[in-house]
Amino acid sequence: MEVIAPTIQMWLTFAVIIGAIVAYASDRIPLEITSIAVVTVLLFIFHMLPIEGPDGSHVSSRNLLAGFADPALITILALLVVGQGLVQTGALNHPARQLIRLGEKAPRTVISLSLILVALTSAVLNNTPVVVIFIPIMATLAEKLGRRVSSVMIPLSYVAILGGNLTLIGSSTNLLAAGAYQAVGQGRIGFFDFTMSGAVLAAVGFVYVLLLAPRLLVDRRDMKKRLAGSGGRQFLFQIELEPDNALVGKKAVAGMFPGLKDVTVRMIQRGRTKLLPPYDDITLEAGDIVLVAATRQVMMDLLNASPDMVSDAEGDPGEDEEDPPRKRRAIAEAVVAPASRLDGRTIAQTGFRAETGCSVLGIQRRSRMIRASIAQLRLEAGDVLLVMGERPNVMALRDNRDVLLMESSATDMPVQAYAGRALAIFAAVVGLAAANLLPIVVAALGGAALMLTTRCLNVRQAARAIDRRVLTIVGAALAMGTALQGTGGATFLAHGMVEMLSGAPVWVMLSGFFLLVAVLTNILSNNATAVLFTPISVSLAGELGLDPMPFLLAVIFGANCSFATPMSYQTNLLVMAPGHYKFSDFLRVGTPLIGLMWLTYTLFVPWAYGLL
């Protein structure tokens, strides 16, 4: 093994990496600022102190900045846009509802089975599209079953990584390590050559991910989601039963009506008669006006399932377009302002829809229980109106003096007419990438472009799907990896470890080698770590006169321990935005998992190969 002499550039690179990890973990400085500062410092160092790498290449500004155009980063951003297209069309609402029905009695079982399916699928498919498929499904399952979204996103990424340990094609890391292994004169690695060892590590890791990881995660939902009605605040809605409404003929069971789950029926107005709870032996009839109290999210779900279910305060949805399901609508909350002309009038008297183009779906009033239809209710200053309309009309309420728009509460309604095309685009992206007919970056970019051109989502929604933290943190991570390799820092660390463990038992050397690879894979990319350390593992086994396979497994399994930082693996970056995670979340949850994988490898692999 060639000895690399330390240089001032190498020590400065080590200092920058340590400083970046400390800054990321502290969360006192925004990730974006830390990432940009890291790149800037590296650019300055190698401009003032240029260096030629061990392979003859120079660490230049061009290759330090190349990470911002890296295909892996472009793939991640494009897949985020494709996933947003599925969300905006509500394409996964139906399969998610099916899973939710299965999981109503045993939510933990359904989530566990979903994670097992992810792990097994990741063993034979690229795990990045697998995670993209399950992100919206797992998020919906968690919300519907009363669990924090943050409790399932990191576990989703981790089980996909663990599943990649099972077969040769389970991860690009495995393929790169196998290719480097063959390139240095060793034999070919078979499809299932390390399945047994990988299954042991995956099983141990899965138990940790399922039982302990969710307990270490914090609910980091952003303020926008809280304002958007994710809490338990209830609005008053009315449902006018037309003859073709699915609720007509439904009979109350134990005071609850089938089809009106998670809502409280306040009153049923039948002609001039007001029917009040409890509802025993009451059957809903055409012409009934059902007054219900429910959270905003529950009513959005009802609207997604049946757009004509909820009537506005003026009697009907008020859609004049030939194809209303294809119109992009938004829902937002607006407060009746003091001295508003709406004060003391019913919605119909105000002509609110004619003036603003927005319908009032629900009203929230905290002062007292309301048992009157919304159409007859006189508004008061401080009432919160739930309004729906085309997004430009909703956002125009900012200039309306009669209401105060809570702008951060505005959310888009899914355009379900485009759900079929969104699913077709998504299936094409996954299929082309999984079958290796196209590179995943080409398939993902094509899918993102098609989502836009087919109107599954607009440019604003696509831009909102791109997380700037992902962009900056990947660019900074690849710049640090380039500097570490260019200065010979990674090889220097590997040589130091070998020297330090010289004369130790073989299982100790294997354990230490695994730990070094596992630590560096969270700083370098996992692919770079695999390529860098595979020749070192073969050389180390050759010096000891041993079978190189357990040393190669230390590289493969160690490089797949991409748990402690978000930039160490693509799937971590994919779940970072949906889970609202910080760098410290990955460090807190991933570090114990790396330790557990290290301990499992140390106990099992040397024993399996007779090296104890």
Side-chain angles (χ1 to χ4, degrees), residues 70-86 128 132 425-426 429 440-452 457 462 465-467 470 574:
D70 186 80
L73 174 59
I74 302 302
T75 300
I76 292 166
L77 298 180
L79 287 173
L80 288 173
V81 173
V82 172
Q84 185 72 0
L86 295 176
T128 300
V132 172
I425 293 169
F426 181 70
V429 170
I440 190 169
V441 62
V442 177
L445 270 177
L450 284 174
M451 285 290 185
L452 288 165
L457 75 169
I466 297 174
D467 190 347
V470 172
L574 284 172

PDB file of all heavy atoms in Angstrom, residues 70-86 128 132 425-426 429 440-452 457 462 465-467 470 574:
ATOM      1  N   ASP A  70     -23.902  17.228 -10.378  1.00  0.00           N
ATOM      2  CA  ASP A  70     -23.728  15.787 -10.299  1.00  0.00           C
ATOM      3  C   ASP A  70     -25.017  15.078 -10.712  1.00  0.00           C
ATOM      4  O   ASP A  70     -26.113  15.492 -10.321  1.00  0.00           O
ATOM      5  CB  ASP A  70     -23.365  15.395  -8.859  1.00  0.00           C
ATOM      6  CG  ASP A  70     -23.027  13.923  -8.746  1.00  0.00           C
ATOM      7  OD1 ASP A  70     -21.894  13.573  -9.080  1.00  0.00           O
ATOM      8  OD2 ASP A  70     -23.908  13.144  -8.331  1.00  0.00           O
ATOM      9  N   PRO A  71     -24.919  14.010 -11.524  1.00  0.00           N
ATOM     10  CA  PRO A  71     -26.136  13.293 -11.938  1.00  0.00           C
ATOM     11  C   PRO A  71     -26.981  12.792 -10.775  1.00  0.00           C
ATOM     12  O   PRO A  71     -28.212  12.757 -10.867  1.00  0.00           O
ATOM     13  CB  PRO A  71     -25.569  12.122 -12.756  1.00  0.00           C
ATOM     14  CG  PRO A  71     -24.260  12.608 -13.266  1.00  0.00           C
ATOM     15  CD  PRO A  71     -23.713  13.499 -12.180  1.00  0.00           C
ATOM     16  N   ALA A  72     -26.330  12.397  -9.665  1.00  0.00           N
ATOM     17  CA  ALA A  72     -27.103  11.929  -8.510  1.00  0.00           C
ATOM     18  C   ALA A  72     -27.972  13.049  -7.954  1.00  0.00           C
ATOM     19  O   ALA A  72     -29.136  12.832  -7.595  1.00  0.00           O
ATOM     20  CB  ALA A  72     -26.159  11.413  -7.432  1.00  0.00           C
ATOM     21  N   LEU A  73     -27.426  14.266  -7.888  1.00  0.00           N
ATOM     22  CA  LEU A  73     -28.197  15.403  -7.384  1.00  0.00           C
ATOM     23  C   LEU A  73     -29.338  15.737  -8.339  1.00  0.00           C
ATOM     24  O   LEU A  73     -30.476  15.973  -7.906  1.00  0.00           O
ATOM     25  CB  LEU A  73     -27.278  16.614  -7.205  1.00  0.00           C
ATOM     26  CG  LEU A  73     -27.965  17.926  -6.811  1.00  0.00           C
ATOM     27  CD1 LEU A  73     -28.713  17.770  -5.501  1.00  0.00           C
ATOM     28  CD2 LEU A  73     -26.947  19.051  -6.710  1.00  0.00           C
ATOM     29  N   ILE A  74     -29.055  15.769  -9.633  1.00  0.00           N
ATOM     30  CA  ILE A  74     -30.101  16.065 -10.619  1.00  0.00           C
ATOM     31  C   ILE A  74     -31.201  15.013 -10.540  1.00  0.00           C
ATOM     32  O   ILE A  74     -32.396  15.324 -10.641  1.00  0.00           O
ATOM     33  CB  ILE A  74     -29.498  16.109 -12.037  1.00  0.00           C
ATOM     34  CG1 ILE A  74     -28.378  17.171 -12.113  1.00  0.00           C
ATOM     35  CG2 ILE A  74     -30.577  16.408 -13.058  1.00  0.00           C
ATOM     36  CD1 ILE A  74     -28.814  18.561 -11.750  1.00  0.00           C
ATOM     37  N   THR A  75     -30.802  13.754 -10.336  1.00  0.00           N
ATOM     38  CA  THR A  75     -31.785  12.677 -10.205  1.00  0.00           C
ATOM     39  C   THR A  75     -32.701  12.913  -9.014  1.00  0.00           C
ATOM     40  O   THR A  75     -33.930  12.780  -9.117  1.00  0.00           O
ATOM     41  CB  THR A  75     -31.073  11.320 -10.049  1.00  0.00           C
ATOM     42  OG1 THR A  75     -30.266  11.074 -11.192  1.00  0.00           O
ATOM     43  CG2 THR A  75     -32.083  10.199  -9.885  1.00  0.00           C
ATOM     44  N   ILE A  76     -32.121  13.271  -7.886  1.00  0.00           N
ATOM     45  CA  ILE A  76     -32.915  13.492  -6.671  1.00  0.00           C
ATOM     46  C   ILE A  76     -33.914  14.618  -6.873  1.00  0.00           C
ATOM     47  O   ILE A  76     -35.109  14.497  -6.556  1.00  0.00           O
ATOM     48  CB  ILE A  76     -31.983  13.807  -5.485  1.00  0.00           C
ATOM     49  CG1 ILE A  76     -31.168  12.562  -5.115  1.00  0.00           C
ATOM     50  CG2 ILE A  76     -32.776  14.280  -4.272  1.00  0.00           C
ATOM     51  CD1 ILE A  76     -30.002  12.861  -4.212  1.00  0.00           C
ATOM     52  N   LEU A  77     -33.450  15.743  -7.428  1.00  0.00           N
ATOM     53  CA  LEU A  77     -34.343  16.886  -7.629  1.00  0.00           C
ATOM     54  C   LEU A  77     -35.456  16.550  -8.615  1.00  0.00           C
ATOM     55  O   LEU A  77     -36.616  16.931  -8.413  1.00  0.00           O
ATOM     56  CB  LEU A  77     -33.533  18.083  -8.119  1.00  0.00           C
ATOM     57  CG  LEU A  77     -32.443  18.592  -7.162  1.00  0.00           C
ATOM     58  CD1 LEU A  77     -31.707  19.789  -7.778  1.00  0.00           C
ATOM     59  CD2 LEU A  77     -33.024  18.970  -5.814  1.00  0.00           C
ATOM     60  N   ALA A  78     -35.105  15.816  -9.686  1.00  0.00           N
ATOM     61  CA  ALA A  78     -36.124  15.439 -10.666  1.00  0.00           C
ATOM     62  C   ALA A  78     -37.149  14.485 -10.061  1.00  0.00           C
ATOM     63  O   ALA A  78     -38.356  14.606 -10.314  1.00  0.00           O
ATOM     64  CB  ALA A  78     -35.460  14.802 -11.883  1.00  0.00           C
ATOM     65  N   LEU A  79     -36.694  13.547  -9.235  1.00  0.00           N
ATOM     66  CA  LEU A  79     -37.619  12.611  -8.600  1.00  0.00           C
ATOM     67  C   LEU A  79     -38.537  13.318  -7.601  1.00  0.00           C
ATOM     68  O   LEU A  79     -39.689  12.922  -7.415  1.00  0.00           O
ATOM     69  CB  LEU A  79     -36.852  11.491  -7.912  1.00  0.00           C
ATOM     70  CG  LEU A  79     -36.199  10.456  -8.842  1.00  0.00           C
ATOM     71  CD1 LEU A  79     -35.336   9.495  -8.054  1.00  0.00           C
ATOM     72  CD2 LEU A  79     -37.245   9.704  -9.648  1.00  0.00           C
ATOM     73  N   LEU A  80     -38.030  14.353  -6.939  1.00  0.00           N
ATOM     74  CA  LEU A  80     -38.885  15.142  -6.049  1.00  0.00           C
ATOM     75  C   LEU A  80     -40.008  15.816  -6.832  1.00  0.00           C
ATOM     76  O   LEU A  80     -41.146  15.901  -6.363  1.00  0.00           O
ATOM     77  CB  LEU A  80     -38.049  16.197  -5.317  1.00  0.00           C
ATOM     78  CG  LEU A  80     -37.114  15.672  -4.220  1.00  0.00           C
ATOM     79  CD1 LEU A  80     -36.234  16.798  -3.696  1.00  0.00           C
ATOM     80  CD2 LEU A  80     -37.890  15.039  -3.079  1.00  0.00           C
ATOM     81  N   VAL A  81     -39.700  16.283  -8.042  1.00  0.00           N
ATOM     82  CA  VAL A  81     -40.724  16.902  -8.888  1.00  0.00           C
ATOM     83  C   VAL A  81     -41.735  15.853  -9.337  1.00  0.00           C
ATOM     84  O   VAL A  81     -42.950  16.097  -9.325  1.00  0.00           O
ATOM     85  CB  VAL A  81     -40.072  17.595 -10.101  1.00  0.00           C
ATOM     86  CG1 VAL A  81     -41.135  18.088 -11.079  1.00  0.00           C
ATOM     87  CG2 VAL A  81     -39.207  18.766  -9.649  1.00  0.00           C
ATOM     88  N   VAL A  82     -41.251  14.673  -9.734  1.00  0.00           N
ATOM     89  CA  VAL A  82     -42.159  13.600 -10.143  1.00  0.00           C
ATOM     90  C   VAL A  82     -43.080  13.210  -8.987  1.00  0.00           C
ATOM     91  O   VAL A  82     -44.289  13.032  -9.160  1.00  0.00           O
ATOM     92  CB  VAL A  82     -41.351  12.377 -10.627  1.00  0.00           C
ATOM     93  CG1 VAL A  82     -42.275  11.187 -10.869  1.00  0.00           C
ATOM     94  CG2 VAL A  82     -40.588  12.707 -11.906  1.00  0.00           C
ATOM     95  N   GLY A  83     -42.507  13.087  -7.793  1.00  0.00           N
ATOM     96  CA  GLY A  83     -43.326  12.768  -6.625  1.00  0.00           C
ATOM     97  C   GLY A  83     -44.361  13.835  -6.330  1.00  0.00           C
ATOM     98  O   GLY A  83     -45.496  13.525  -5.940  1.00  0.00           O
ATOM     99  N   GLN A  84     -44.000  15.101  -6.547  1.00  0.00           N
ATOM    100  CA  GLN A  84     -44.953  16.188  -6.339  1.00  0.00           C
ATOM    101  C   GLN A  84     -46.106  16.091  -7.330  1.00  0.00           C
ATOM    102  O   GLN A  84     -47.249  16.427  -7.004  1.00  0.00           O
ATOM    103  CB  GLN A  84     -44.243  17.541  -6.483  1.00  0.00           C
ATOM    104  CG  GLN A  84     -45.105  18.750  -6.180  1.00  0.00           C
ATOM    105  CD  GLN A  84     -45.407  18.903  -4.701  1.00  0.00           C
ATOM    106  OE1 GLN A  84     -44.982  18.104  -3.889  1.00  0.00           O
ATOM    107  NE2 GLN A  84     -46.144  19.931  -4.355  1.00  0.00           N
ATOM    108  N   GLY A  85     -45.820  15.620  -8.547  1.00  0.00           N
ATOM    109  CA  GLY A  85     -46.889  15.424  -9.523  1.00  0.00           C
ATOM    110  C   GLY A  85     -47.908  14.409  -9.050  1.00  0.00           C
ATOM    111  O   GLY A  85     -49.116  14.576  -9.254  1.00  0.00           O
ATOM    112  N   LEU A  86     -47.435  13.338  -8.394  1.00  0.00           N
ATOM    113  CA  LEU A  86     -48.364  12.345  -7.836  1.00  0.00           C
ATOM    114  C   LEU A  86     -49.221  12.947  -6.732  1.00  0.00           C
ATOM    115  O   LEU A  86     -50.415  12.672  -6.624  1.00  0.00           O
ATOM    116  CB  LEU A  86     -47.580  11.152  -7.292  1.00  0.00           C
ATOM    117  CG  LEU A  86     -46.804  10.296  -8.297  1.00  0.00           C
ATOM    118  CD1 LEU A  86     -46.016   9.225  -7.564  1.00  0.00           C
ATOM    119  CD2 LEU A  86     -47.749   9.664  -9.310  1.00  0.00           C
ATOM    120  N   THR A 128     -33.707   3.819  -4.941  1.00  0.00           N
ATOM    121  CA  THR A 128     -34.170   5.203  -5.034  1.00  0.00           C
ATOM    122  C   THR A 128     -35.608   5.298  -5.549  1.00  0.00           C
ATOM    123  O   THR A 128     -36.449   5.922  -4.896  1.00  0.00           O
ATOM    124  CB  THR A 128     -33.221   6.038  -5.914  1.00  0.00           C
ATOM    125  OG1 THR A 128     -31.918   6.018  -5.328  1.00  0.00           O
ATOM    126  CG2 THR A 128     -33.701   7.470  -6.024  1.00  0.00           C
ATOM    127  N   VAL A 132     -39.122   6.524  -3.602  1.00  0.00           N
ATOM    128  CA  VAL A 132     -39.996   7.540  -4.189  1.00  0.00           C
ATOM    129  C   VAL A 132     -41.442   7.054  -4.223  1.00  0.00           C
ATOM    130  O   VAL A 132     -42.382   7.803  -3.946  1.00  0.00           O
ATOM    131  CB  VAL A 132     -39.516   7.907  -5.614  1.00  0.00           C
ATOM    132  CG1 VAL A 132     -40.520   8.812  -6.300  1.00  0.00           C
ATOM    133  CG2 VAL A 132     -38.169   8.612  -5.545  1.00  0.00           C
ATOM    134  N   ILE A 425     -46.768   8.297 -16.064  1.00  0.00           N
ATOM    135  CA  ILE A 425     -45.433   8.887 -16.131  1.00  0.00           C
ATOM    136  C   ILE A 425     -44.535   8.289 -15.064  1.00  0.00           C
ATOM    137  O   ILE A 425     -43.381   7.922 -15.322  1.00  0.00           O
ATOM    138  CB  ILE A 425     -45.527  10.425 -15.984  1.00  0.00           C
ATOM    139  CG1 ILE A 425     -46.237  11.032 -17.188  1.00  0.00           C
ATOM    140  CG2 ILE A 425     -44.136  11.039 -15.798  1.00  0.00           C
ATOM    141  CD1 ILE A 425     -46.609  12.494 -17.008  1.00  0.00           C
ATOM    142  N   PHE A 426     -45.075   8.187 -13.856  1.00  0.00           N
ATOM    143  CA  PHE A 426     -44.285   7.643 -12.757  1.00  0.00           C
ATOM    144  C   PHE A 426     -43.888   6.191 -13.024  1.00  0.00           C
ATOM    145  O   PHE A 426     -42.738   5.787 -12.809  1.00  0.00           O
ATOM    146  CB  PHE A 426     -45.091   7.742 -11.465  1.00  0.00           C
ATOM    147  CG  PHE A 426     -44.368   7.242 -10.256  1.00  0.00           C
ATOM    148  CD1 PHE A 426     -43.298   7.926  -9.742  1.00  0.00           C
ATOM    149  CD2 PHE A 426     -44.753   6.058  -9.640  1.00  0.00           C
ATOM    150  CE1 PHE A 426     -42.623   7.469  -8.630  1.00  0.00           C
ATOM    151  CE2 PHE A 426     -44.086   5.589  -8.531  1.00  0.00           C
ATOM    152  CZ  PHE A 426     -43.020   6.295  -8.025  1.00  0.00           C
ATOM    153  N   VAL A 429     -41.056   6.078 -15.499  1.00  0.00           N
ATOM    154  CA  VAL A 429     -39.763   6.445 -14.899  1.00  0.00           C
ATOM    155  C   VAL A 429     -39.177   5.261 -14.126  1.00  0.00           C
ATOM    156  O   VAL A 429     -38.015   4.895 -14.300  1.00  0.00           O
ATOM    157  CB  VAL A 429     -39.927   7.671 -13.973  1.00  0.00           C
ATOM    158  CG1 VAL A 429     -38.655   7.912 -13.166  1.00  0.00           C
ATOM    159  CG2 VAL A 429     -40.272   8.914 -14.789  1.00  0.00           C
ATOM    160  N   ILE A 440     -30.969   6.354 -14.708  1.00  0.00           N
ATOM    161  CA  ILE A 440     -32.034   6.893 -13.857  1.00  0.00           C
ATOM    162  C   ILE A 440     -32.120   8.410 -13.951  1.00  0.00           C
ATOM    163  O   ILE A 440     -33.196   8.993 -13.856  1.00  0.00           O
ATOM    164  CB  ILE A 440     -31.845   6.434 -12.395  1.00  0.00           C
ATOM    165  CG1 ILE A 440     -33.088   6.807 -11.578  1.00  0.00           C
ATOM    166  CG2 ILE A 440     -30.579   7.004 -11.787  1.00  0.00           C
ATOM    167  CD1 ILE A 440     -33.116   6.187 -10.210  1.00  0.00           C
ATOM    168  N   VAL A 441     -30.989   9.093 -14.191  1.00  0.00           N
ATOM    169  CA  VAL A 441     -31.038  10.552 -14.307  1.00  0.00           C
ATOM    170  C   VAL A 441     -31.822  10.964 -15.544  1.00  0.00           C
ATOM    171  O   VAL A 441     -32.588  11.938 -15.517  1.00  0.00           O
ATOM    172  CB  VAL A 441     -29.608  11.141 -14.330  1.00  0.00           C
ATOM    173  CG1 VAL A 441     -28.804  10.652 -15.526  1.00  0.00           C
ATOM    174  CG2 VAL A 441     -29.668  12.660 -14.318  1.00  0.00           C
ATOM    175  N   VAL A 442     -31.681  10.209 -16.649  1.00  0.00           N
ATOM    176  CA  VAL A 442     -32.419  10.531 -17.872  1.00  0.00           C
ATOM    177  C   VAL A 442     -33.903  10.257 -17.679  1.00  0.00           C
ATOM    178  O   VAL A 442     -34.764  11.075 -18.041  1.00  0.00           O
ATOM    179  CB  VAL A 442     -31.858   9.721 -19.060  1.00  0.00           C
ATOM    180  CG1 VAL A 442     -32.665  10.001 -20.326  1.00  0.00           C
ATOM    181  CG2 VAL A 442     -30.385  10.038 -19.282  1.00  0.00           C
ATOM    182  N   ALA A 443     -34.215   9.093 -17.084  1.00  0.00           N
ATOM    183  CA  ALA A 443     -35.618   8.758 -16.852  1.00  0.00           C
ATOM    184  C   ALA A 443     -36.280   9.760 -15.913  1.00  0.00           C
ATOM    185  O   ALA A 443     -37.427  10.186 -16.148  1.00  0.00           O
ATOM    186  CB  ALA A 443     -35.715   7.348 -16.272  1.00  0.00           C
ATOM    187  N   ALA A 444     -35.585  10.153 -14.842  1.00  0.00           N
ATOM    188  CA  ALA A 444     -36.165  11.083 -13.864  1.00  0.00           C
ATOM    189  C   ALA A 444     -36.392  12.463 -14.473  1.00  0.00           C
ATOM    190  O   ALA A 444     -37.443  13.081 -14.261  1.00  0.00           O
ATOM    191  CB  ALA A 444     -35.257  11.184 -12.646  1.00  0.00           C
ATOM    192  N   LEU A 445     -35.405  12.971 -15.214  1.00  0.00           N
ATOM    193  CA  LEU A 445     -35.566  14.279 -15.851  1.00  0.00           C
ATOM    194  C   LEU A 445     -36.699  14.254 -16.877  1.00  0.00           C
ATOM    195  O   LEU A 445     -37.488  15.200 -16.972  1.00  0.00           O
ATOM    196  CB  LEU A 445     -34.258  14.701 -16.522  1.00  0.00           C
ATOM    197  CG  LEU A 445     -33.276  15.490 -15.663  1.00  0.00           C
ATOM    198  CD1 LEU A 445     -32.002  15.761 -16.442  1.00  0.00           C
ATOM    199  CD2 LEU A 445     -33.883  16.799 -15.190  1.00  0.00           C
ATOM    200  N   GLY A 446     -36.776  13.168 -17.630  1.00  0.00           N
ATOM    201  CA  GLY A 446     -37.874  13.057 -18.585  1.00  0.00           C
ATOM    202  C   GLY A 446     -39.219  13.030 -17.895  1.00  0.00           C
ATOM    203  O   GLY A 446     -40.184  13.658 -18.355  1.00  0.00           O
ATOM    204  N   GLY A 447     -39.299  12.303 -16.775  1.00  0.00           N
ATOM    205  CA  GLY A 447     -40.549  12.263 -16.018  1.00  0.00           C
ATOM    206  C   GLY A 447     -40.936  13.619 -15.476  1.00  0.00           C
ATOM    207  O   GLY A 447     -42.114  14.009 -15.519  1.00  0.00           O
ATOM    208  N   ALA A 448     -39.956  14.371 -14.959  1.00  0.00           N
ATOM    209  CA  ALA A 448     -40.243  15.718 -14.439  1.00  0.00           C
ATOM    210  C   ALA A 448     -40.756  16.628 -15.548  1.00  0.00           C
ATOM    211  O   ALA A 448     -41.712  17.394 -15.355  1.00  0.00           O
ATOM    212  CB  ALA A 448     -38.990  16.305 -13.796  1.00  0.00           C
ATOM    213  N   ALA A 449     -40.126  16.539 -16.721  1.00  0.00           N
ATOM    214  CA  ALA A 449     -40.566  17.371 -17.852  1.00  0.00           C
ATOM    215  C   ALA A 449     -41.981  17.006 -18.279  1.00  0.00           C
ATOM    216  O   ALA A 449     -42.811  17.889 -18.558  1.00  0.00           O
ATOM    217  CB  ALA A 449     -39.589  17.202 -19.018  1.00  0.00           C
ATOM    218  N   LEU A 450     -42.293  15.713 -18.307  1.00  0.00           N
ATOM    219  CA  LEU A 450     -43.638  15.284 -18.704  1.00  0.00           C
ATOM    220  C   LEU A 450     -44.685  15.706 -17.678  1.00  0.00           C
ATOM    221  O   LEU A 450     -45.815  16.055 -18.046  1.00  0.00           O
ATOM    222  CB  LEU A 450     -43.666  13.771 -18.898  1.00  0.00           C
ATOM    223  CG  LEU A 450     -43.029  13.241 -20.186  1.00  0.00           C
ATOM    224  CD1 LEU A 450     -42.988  11.722 -20.181  1.00  0.00           C
ATOM    225  CD2 LEU A 450     -43.791  13.751 -21.406  1.00  0.00           C
ATOM    226  N   MET A 451     -44.340  15.678 -16.394  1.00  0.00           N
ATOM    227  CA  MET A 451     -45.281  16.137 -15.369  1.00  0.00           C
ATOM    228  C   MET A 451     -45.684  17.588 -15.608  1.00  0.00           C
ATOM    229  O   MET A 451     -46.840  17.977 -15.395  1.00  0.00           O
ATOM    230  CB  MET A 451     -44.666  15.986 -13.977  1.00  0.00           C
ATOM    231  CG  MET A 451     -44.612  14.566 -13.451  1.00  0.00           C
ATOM    232  SD  MET A 451     -46.256  13.916 -13.037  1.00  0.00           S
ATOM    233  CE  MET A 451     -45.807  12.320 -12.336  1.00  0.00           C
ATOM    234  N   LEU A 452     -44.740  18.387 -16.080  1.00  0.00           N
ATOM    235  CA  LEU A 452     -45.024  19.799 -16.342  1.00  0.00           C
ATOM    236  C   LEU A 452     -45.791  19.984 -17.645  1.00  0.00           C
ATOM    237  O   LEU A 452     -46.769  20.727 -17.705  1.00  0.00           O
ATOM    238  CB  LEU A 452     -43.719  20.597 -16.377  1.00  0.00           C
ATOM    239  CG  LEU A 452     -43.030  20.812 -15.024  1.00  0.00           C
ATOM    240  CD1 LEU A 452     -41.602  21.281 -15.218  1.00  0.00           C
ATOM    241  CD2 LEU A 452     -43.803  21.819 -14.186  1.00  0.00           C
ATOM    242  N   LEU A 457     -48.737  19.166 -12.842  1.00  0.00           N
ATOM    243  CA  LEU A 457     -48.406  20.213 -11.886  1.00  0.00           C
ATOM    244  C   LEU A 457     -47.851  21.388 -12.663  1.00  0.00           C
ATOM    245  O   LEU A 457     -47.452  21.251 -13.828  1.00  0.00           O
ATOM    246  CB  LEU A 457     -47.411  19.735 -10.823  1.00  0.00           C
ATOM    247  CG  LEU A 457     -45.933  19.547 -11.175  1.00  0.00           C
ATOM    248  CD1 LEU A 457     -45.131  19.325  -9.900  1.00  0.00           C
ATOM    249  CD2 LEU A 457     -45.721  18.364 -12.075  1.00  0.00           C
ATOM    250  N   ALA A 462     -43.747  22.711  -8.990  1.00  0.00           N
ATOM    251  CA  ALA A 462     -42.493  21.990  -9.216  1.00  0.00           C
ATOM    252  C   ALA A 462     -41.346  22.653  -8.467  1.00  0.00           C
ATOM    253  O   ALA A 462     -40.510  21.984  -7.850  1.00  0.00           O
ATOM    254  CB  ALA A 462     -42.192  21.918 -10.709  1.00  0.00           C
ATOM    255  N   ALA A 465     -41.304  21.888  -4.868  1.00  0.00           N
ATOM    256  CA  ALA A 465     -40.891  20.523  -4.534  1.00  0.00           C
ATOM    257  C   ALA A 465     -39.390  20.404  -4.365  1.00  0.00           C
ATOM    258  O   ALA A 465     -38.905  19.476  -3.720  1.00  0.00           O
ATOM    259  CB  ALA A 465     -41.374  19.556  -5.615  1.00  0.00           C
ATOM    260  N   ILE A 466     -38.630  21.328  -4.951  1.00  0.00           N
ATOM    261  CA  ILE A 466     -37.169  21.265  -4.890  1.00  0.00           C
ATOM    262  C   ILE A 466     -36.705  21.902  -3.589  1.00  0.00           C
ATOM    263  O   ILE A 466     -36.918  23.093  -3.350  1.00  0.00           O
ATOM    264  CB  ILE A 466     -36.544  21.980  -6.105  1.00  0.00           C
ATOM    265  CG1 ILE A 466     -36.943  21.256  -7.395  1.00  0.00           C
ATOM    266  CG2 ILE A 466     -35.029  22.036  -5.972  1.00  0.00           C
ATOM    267  CD1 ILE A 466     -36.492  21.952  -8.648  1.00  0.00           C
ATOM    268  N   ASP A 467     -36.081  21.111  -2.761  1.00  0.00           N
ATOM    269  CA  ASP A 467     -35.615  21.564  -1.449  1.00  0.00           C
ATOM    270  C   ASP A 467     -34.205  22.139  -1.594  1.00  0.00           C
ATOM    271  O   ASP A 467     -33.274  21.429  -1.983  1.00  0.00           O
ATOM    272  CB  ASP A 467     -35.613  20.394  -0.467  1.00  0.00           C
ATOM    273  CG  ASP A 467     -35.374  20.831   0.970  1.00  0.00           C
ATOM    274  OD1 ASP A 467     -34.963  21.996   1.171  1.00  0.00           O
ATOM    275  OD2 ASP A 467     -35.575  20.020   1.884  1.00  0.00           O
ATOM    276  N   VAL A 470     -31.343  20.239   0.095  1.00  0.00           N
ATOM    277  CA  VAL A 470     -30.800  19.103  -0.634  1.00  0.00           C
ATOM    278  C   VAL A 470     -29.768  19.571  -1.650  1.00  0.00           C
ATOM    279  O   VAL A 470     -28.676  19.001  -1.780  1.00  0.00           O
ATOM    280  CB  VAL A 470     -31.937  18.329  -1.333  1.00  0.00           C
ATOM    281  CG1 VAL A 470     -31.375  17.251  -2.249  1.00  0.00           C
ATOM    282  CG2 VAL A 470     -32.868  17.713  -0.296  1.00  0.00           C
ATOM    283  N   LEU A 574     -33.943  12.160  -0.138  1.00  0.00           N
ATOM    284  CA  LEU A 574     -35.324  12.150  -0.604  1.00  0.00           C
ATOM    285  C   LEU A 574     -36.321  12.301   0.545  1.00  0.00           C
ATOM    286  O   LEU A 574     -37.360  12.942   0.389  1.00  0.00           O
ATOM    287  CB  LEU A 574     -35.611  10.847  -1.362  1.00  0.00           C
ATOM    288  CG  LEU A 574     -35.041  10.737  -2.779  1.00  0.00           C
ATOM    289  CD1 LEU A 574     -35.239   9.329  -3.314  1.00  0.00           C
ATOM    290  CD2 LEU A 574     -35.691  11.751  -3.708  1.00  0.00           C
TER     291      LEU A 574
END
